[in-house]
Structures are given as C-alpha cells and as structure tokens.
Amino acid sequence: MSESVELKISLPKIPDIELVALEGLQRLASHLGISDDKIGEAKILATEAIINALEHAGVDELPVDIVFTMTKKRLIIFVQDYGKGFQPDSVEEPIIEKKLGTNKKRGWGLKLMRTMSDDITIESDEHGTKITLIKNLA
Amino acid sequence: MSESVELKISLPKIPDIELVALEGLQRLASHLGISDDKIGEAKILATEAIINALEHAGVDELPVDIVFTMTKKRLIIFVQDYGKGFQPDSVEEPIIEKKLGTNKKRGWGLKLMRTMSDDITIESDEHGTKITLIKNLA
Amino acid sequence: MSTDFHLDSVVQDDCLVIRTFGYVNNMGGKEIVKCFNEGFDHGLTKIVINLAESKVVNSIGISYLLEIIEKLMDKKGKLVFTNLEPAIEKTFSIMGLFHFAEHAATEETAIAKMGE
Amino acid sequence: MSTDFHLDSVVQDDCLVIRTFGYVNNMGGKEIVKCFNEGFDHGLTKIVINLAESKVVNSIGISYLLEIIEKLMDKKGKLVFTNLEPAIEKTFSIMGLFHFAEHAATEETAIAKMGE
Ligand SMILES: Nc1ncnc2c1ncn2[C@@H]1O[C@H](COP(=O)(O)OP(=O)(O)O)[C@@H](O)[C@H]1O
Ligand SMILES: Nc1ncnc2c1ncn2[C@@H]1O[C@H](COP(=O)(O)OP(=O)(O)O)[C@@H](O)[C@H]1O
C-alpha cells in the first residue's frame, strides 16, 4: 500500500500566488522521495491551470481552489474556479509560425497542459471551471 | 476601505510543510506592500503555531487547517488541528537558566507566540485546538 | 524563498548574454524583452539567454520571447537558450521555440555556436 | 524556492565560523550542533554562527543551540551570532539566548569581539 498525501489550498487572486502551490508540490515531492526532475513538469501543469483560473475566471472576490493528491506513482492536480467558464473545444490550437508577426502571442496554456499531462479533464459551465490533470511520477 | 486578502491552506502532516504557509504569507505581504521586516515576526508566529499542530495533535491522518487574513494594517493567523488538545495554562513557562544542563531544552513555542503577537486566543479540548494570533502590521 | 524576478546582462564576444533569476512570469518576460531591445538597438543580434537561476516559468512569460525571435529573424540574428531545466526545455519544445532558436548546455557552448 | 538546510564552516583566527543556509528546523539545529562538536573536540571554544542565509528558524531548531552554550560555559568559551534578521534576533532575545551569547553585525566584528 503506498502512502498518499493531500494538500488543499484556497488562493486569493493576487500576483504570483501560484508560487504557494508550487512550494506545496515541492514539499509533497520531497516527502515522497520524488526527484526534482520528475516534479518539474508537474509544476508547469499546476502553474498553467492556476494562472488560467486566476486570470480568466473573471470574478475577483472568489478564490481559486486547489487540491494536490500525490503518491510515489501519481499526482492528481485539481483546480477549480467559480468564474464565467469557457468552451475548451473552441479554443484554437496555437502554432508558433502563425503567432509570429501578430499581436496575439499568448494562448499556450491548454496546449502545454494537454501535451505534458497523462490525462486531462475539463468541466466548465457558467458556474465555473474544474480542471483535473493527472501526471504519472513513476 | 482597505483591501483584505485571505489564504486558506489544509496541510498534510509531513516535514517542513509549514514552509508552504510561509510562502503564502510572503505573497500576501508583497501584494499589500508590507516590508520583509514587518512580516518577519508574523512568519515566526505562523511557524510556531503550525509546527505545534503538526507535532502535538497526535492524529496523523487529519490535516492542519490554516487561514491567513491580511490587510495593510493587520494579520490574523488562524491554525486549527483535530487532535487531542491540551491545557495551555498548565504549560510551564520556559526559562533558559533552568533549561541548561537538562534534557528538556524545548518548550519555547507558546512563549514566543505570546510575546510576539499582539493578541492570542487558544481554544482547546478533546476535539482539537484552535489558535488565533493577531499581529499588527502598521 | 524569494523568487522575485530580476536579471543581469553582459556583452561577450559580440553576444548579448542575459541571465535571469526567479520566476519568468508576465513581468519577467517583459523585462527580458526590454533588456534584449536595449542591446538590439545597439546592433547586437547574437543573443544568449541563460535560465540557470529560473526554475519556474509560465506560458505568458515565455510568449513574450516570441518578440525577440521576430526581431532577430528580420536581422538574421541568432538566439540560444542555455541551462534549461528539463521541464522548461520540454515547455519550449512543445511551444515550437526550437524551430527558431537553439539551446546549449552552457553560455560557453552557446557563444561557440554563434559562429556556425 | 529551495530552503533545505545545509551549512559550511571555516576556522579563522582560532574561531570556528559556521555559516548556515536555509530553514533552521529540527534537522538544521542538529547539524549545527554536530558541526560545533567536531570543532569543540579539536579544542575550538570561540564560535561564530552566521545566519545570513537562514531567513526562517523554528524554536525546536534553536533549542538545540542551548547544547552549544552548555559546553562552552564549561570551557569558558564564547558564542557570537551574526547577520541575524530582526525577527530572528527578537526570537533569540525572547528565549534569553543573549544572556549567554552575543551578537554582531558581521563575521568580522564577531571575530574582533572574541578578544574582549
Ligand atoms: N479557467 C478558465 N476560465 C475561463 N476561461 C478560460 C479558463 N482557462 C482558459 N480559458 C480560456 O481559454 C483560452 C486559452 O487559454 P490558454 O491556452 O491557457 O492561453 P492564455 O491563457 O494565454 O489565453 C483563454 O484565453 C480563455 O479564454
Ligand atoms: N496544538 C497542540 N495540540 C496539543 N498539544 C499542544 C499543542 N500545542 C502545544 N501543545 C502542548 O504544549 C506544550 C508546549 O508547547 P510549546 O511551548 O510550543 O513547546 P514545544 O512544542 O517545544 O514542546 C507542548 O509540549 C504540548 O504538550
């Protein structure tokens, strides 16, 4: 039976607050003996999910809630906001050649999350967005 | 009207996890423009309250819950555990001269919290302990 | 515990070497571009960005770096990233940055590549 | 973002100078005492502990340092802390450490104090 640790954080919408969550990931990983290399991509995933919730939810008073559940083998990143929601399928796939020369250089978060995670689920409606990312660590 | 920011964290009982809370304090302080000097004592208070809950509650499965509420003027640190509780009034006041030469060198947390905070409330019974610390920042 | 962004830069063998410290977020990305622009306006088109002391980046910060690529393409310049954490290298790779920029283990190897 | 504890030490003008990095927790306190003991066993009784790179401490870690004070009292040695953050200085003060140890701004002033 492998040990599972859970860290929950409810973040206010202020600059760089996602670093609190990353410090948490680091501590969980150290405890379970997971190397910095393996946790690196998990940090990118968490960062992108959290900054989207902070920036795009559109409700400044409500928090962004995060749950990390980690075992030696697997990390589940759950990020929930209580904002306006969006339709993930209608977000255009970013391509660097098309971005160059335009003013729209952003739009990489979802692509990074889809490519780096081992599984991704997005539930979004007018009450907010829940994103669940799975990252294998073993 | 002054802005109030709130950060909630539910910590698992693993080594050095209190650093997650300290990173949170740092971010709240940066956002509100509070200097490192002023936040330094708040960090000591939070650290001592959290490590007591982590170590003394005596229930490894249950989390330690933290709420920081900060304005430019004041920080409220709330730390709750779901452990066995204790009687704060029967804890002996530590005196360094008495500690030297003995094997009981610890026992400084409550004294530090009482001396450094602007107000402290401890509610403790067999269902757990809640400690509320107030630190003026202005 | 501080991860607040800052950078320094030197010019070496006709290359502008930018060394970043801390979180490359929105603000960090903008500062890198500002530092690049100062060098570029003085005619520097060989650029090395050393991310050794940046363990965390986000996609907003990195998207600013596309401005550097655009300007260098016009002048046939060259951009080489060095000291990338594996996860950051993967991020750049997914974004397609290495279609337009290179990476090297160290500043020395980056500067050596500039002649190629 | 790493605050994992480590230390290094040098002997200078007959003083053992211990420089700590990161969180002085339980483990950090023990490592400081271990480093002290090695020097003490070689006859060093003038000790400087530089906490410049330790921005966070806890009372468990600091309580280990009382062992150093005990041993130095027996040998009429001297302990000087340097580069203390204001909140850490206040912590030491509340604990009464300055009844038995001194503090100085820098290693140099600490070493100068040893003769007094
Ligand atoms: N949590 C969210 N709530 C509302 N909209 C979102 C959320 N996450 C993403 N989006 C929408 O999806 C788009 C693409 O997101 P992303 O790929 O991360 O790039 P970026 O954030 O740089 O625009 C965003 O511009 C936004 O419109
Ligand atoms: N959250 C808590 N739950 C149960 N007991 C506690 C708690 N906090 C403090 N105590 C009790 O109070 C004592 C004194 O605490 P403290 O002054 O912080 O010193 P120390 O933790 O080093 O013993 C502890 O040894 C413990 O018995």
Side-chain angles (χ1 to χ4, degrees):
Chain A
M1 218 192 61
S2 85
E3 186 191 359
S4 171
V5 283
E6 187 180 86
L7 172 66
K8 293 188 194 172
I9 313 182
S10 183
L11 294 173
K13 295 204 170 104
I14 65 175
D16 294 346
I17 194 73
E18 62 274 17
L19 294 174
V20 178
L22 300 190
E23 177 72 26
L25 273 185
Q26 186 66 51
R27 293 295 134 204
L28 300 184
S30 297
H31 174 63
L32 293 172
I34 292 161
S35 67
D36 282 359
D37 249 31
K38 277 193 187 143
I39 211 66
E41 292 183 29
K43 284 187 179 172
I44 303 268
L45 293 172
T47 302
E48 295 299 326
I50 295 168
I51 63 176
N52 273 356
L54 291 167
E55 182 180 8
H56 298 304
V59 280
D60 279 353
E61 327 71 50
L62 297 174
V64 170
D65 288 336
I66 298 158
V67 185
F68 295 131
T69 311
M70 197 188 286
T71 65
K72 270 190 196 326
K73 290 192 184 145
R74 211 171 69 149
L75 168 67
I76 306 171
I77 297 168
F78 174 79
V79 178
Q80 173 164 30
D81 67 60
Y82 306 93
K84 61 173 185 274
F86 74 116
Q87 293 200 308
D89 294 339
S90 40
V91 173
E92 206 186 335
E93 166 97 4
I95 296 170
I96 191 163
E97 285 78 3
K98 289 195 191 163
K99 298 261 178 206
L100 293 171
T102 73
N103 283 327
K104 291 186 184 165
K105 296 198 166 56
R106 290 187 42 183
W108 298 97
L110 287 171
K111 183 181 174 109
L112 287 170
M113 287 188 262
R114 289 203 170 103
T115 314
M116 272 193 191
S117 66
D118 291 293
D119 192 37
I120 177 168
T121 316
I122 303 177
E123 296 164 78
S124 190
D125 62 26
E126 70 278 16
H127 303 297
T129 302
K130 295 180 201 177
I131 176 155
T132 308
L133 294 152
I134 305 225
K135 182 74 187 166
N136 294 330
L137 301 171
Chain B
M1 216 192 65
S2 83
E3 186 190 1
S4 171
V5 283
E6 187 181 85
L7 172 67
K8 292 187 194 174
I9 314 182
S10 184
L11 295 173
K13 295 205 170 103
I14 65 176
D16 294 347
I17 194 75
E18 60 274 18
L19 294 175
V20 178
L22 299 190
E23 177 72 26
L25 274 184
Q26 186 66 52
R27 292 296 134 206
L28 301 184
S30 296
H31 174 63
L32 293 172
I34 292 160
S35 68
D36 282 0
D37 249 31
K38 277 193 187 141
I39 211 66
E41 292 183 30
K43 284 186 179 172
I44 303 268
L45 293 172
T47 303
E48 295 299 327
I50 296 168
I51 64 177
N52 273 356
L54 291 167
E55 182 180 8
H56 299 304
V59 281
D60 280 352
E61 327 72 51
L62 298 174
V64 171
D65 288 337
I66 298 157
V67 185
F68 295 131
T69 312
M70 197 188 285
T71 65
K72 269 190 196 327
K73 290 191 182 145
R74 212 170 68 150
L75 168 68
I76 306 171
I77 298 169
F78 174 79
V79 178
Q80 173 165 31
D81 69 60
Y82 306 92
K84 60 172 186 275
F86 75 115
Q87 295 201 307
D89 294 340
S90 41
V91 173
E92 206 187 334
E93 166 97 4
I95 296 169
I96 190 164
E97 285 78 2
K98 289 194 191 164
K99 297 262 179 205
L100 294 172
T102 73
N103 283 326
K104 292 187 186 164
K105 296 199 166 54
R106 290 187 42 182
W108 298 98
L110 288 171
K111 184 181 174 110
L112 287 171
M113 287 187 262
R114 290 203 170 106
T115 314
M116 273 193 190
S117 66
D118 291 292
D119 192 36
I120 176 169
T121 315
I122 303 176
E123 296 164 77
S124 190
D125 63 26
E126 69 277 16
H127 304 297
T129 300
K130 295 181 203 176
I131 176 155
T132 308
L133 295 153
I134 305 224
K135 183 74 187 168
N136 293 331
L137 302 171
Chain C
M1 228 159 7
S2 178
T3 36
D4 295 331
F5 185 85
H6 63 280
L7 57 75
D8 62 36
S9 65
V10 291
V11 178
Q12 199 181 320
D13 296 346
D14 209 28
C15 298
L16 173 65
V17 180
I18 302 175
R19 300 179 187 125
T20 68
F21 300 83
Y23 187 16
V24 182
N25 54 8
N26 193 15
M27 196 266 288
K30 279 184 196 165
E31 284 196 34
I32 296 170
V33 172
K34 188 169 159 245
C35 179
F36 160 77
N37 280 335
E38 284 164 14
F40 187 77
D41 292 345
H42 284 85
L44 291 166
T45 57
K46 297 174 189 170
I47 315 294
V48 175
I49 302 181
N50 178 345
L51 292 170
E53 299 302 324
S54 286
K55 308 295 182 195
V56 189
V57 303
N58 73 32
S59 67
I60 306 175
I62 301 311
S63 66
Y64 280 99
L65 306 183
L66 303 192
E67 293 182 27
I68 299 179
I69 290 174
E70 280 172 0
K71 288 199 172 176
L72 289 178
M73 281 172 84
D74 291 345
K75 299 277 180 193
K76 303 213 184 307
K78 193 158 174 172
L79 173 61
V80 185
F81 292 101
T82 77
N83 300 79
L84 298 176
E85 293 279 309
I88 296 179
E89 187 175 320
K90 187 154 176 185
T91 300
F92 285 17
S93 176
I94 293 169
M95 290 174 68
L97 282 179
F98 298 133
H99 303 176
F100 302 96
E102 298 188 30
H103 54 114
T106 64
E107 289 181 14
E108 291 66 42
T109 48
I111 292 171
K113 266 179 192 248
M114 286 297 175
E116 288 168 18
Chain D
M1 230 159 5
S2 177
T3 36
D4 295 331
F5 185 86
H6 64 280
L7 58 75
D8 62 37
S9 66
V10 291
V11 179
Q12 198 181 321
D13 295 346
D14 210 27
C15 298
L16 174 64
V17 179
I18 303 175
R19 299 180 188 123
T20 67
F21 300 82
Y23 187 16
V24 182
N25 55 6
N26 193 15
M27 196 268 286
K30 279 186 196 164
E31 284 195 35
I32 295 171
V33 172
K34 189 169 159 245
C35 179
F36 160 77
N37 280 335
E38 283 164 14
F40 187 76
D41 292 346
H42 284 86
L44 292 167
T45 58
K46 298 174 188 169
I47 315 293
V48 175
I49 303 181
N50 178 345
L51 292 170
E53 300 300 325
S54 288
K55 307 295 182 195
V56 189
V57 303
N58 73 31
S59 68
I60 307 176
I62 302 309
S63 67
Y64 279 100
L65 306 183
L66 303 191
E67 292 182 28
I68 297 179
I69 290 173
E70 280 172 358
K71 287 199 173 178
L72 289 178
M73 282 171 84
D74 291 345
K75 298 277 179 193
K76 303 216 185 306
K78 193 159 174 172
L79 173 61
V80 184
F81 292 101
T82 78
N83 301 78
L84 297 177
E85 294 277 310
I88 297 180
E89 187 175 319
K90 186 154 177 186
T91 301
F92 286 15
S93 176
I94 293 169
M95 290 175 67
L97 281 179
F98 298 133
H99 302 176
F100 301 96
E102 298 188 29
H103 54 116
T106 64
E107 288 181 14
E108 290 66 41
T109 47
I111 291 171
K113 265 180 192 249
M114 287 296 176
E116 289 168 17

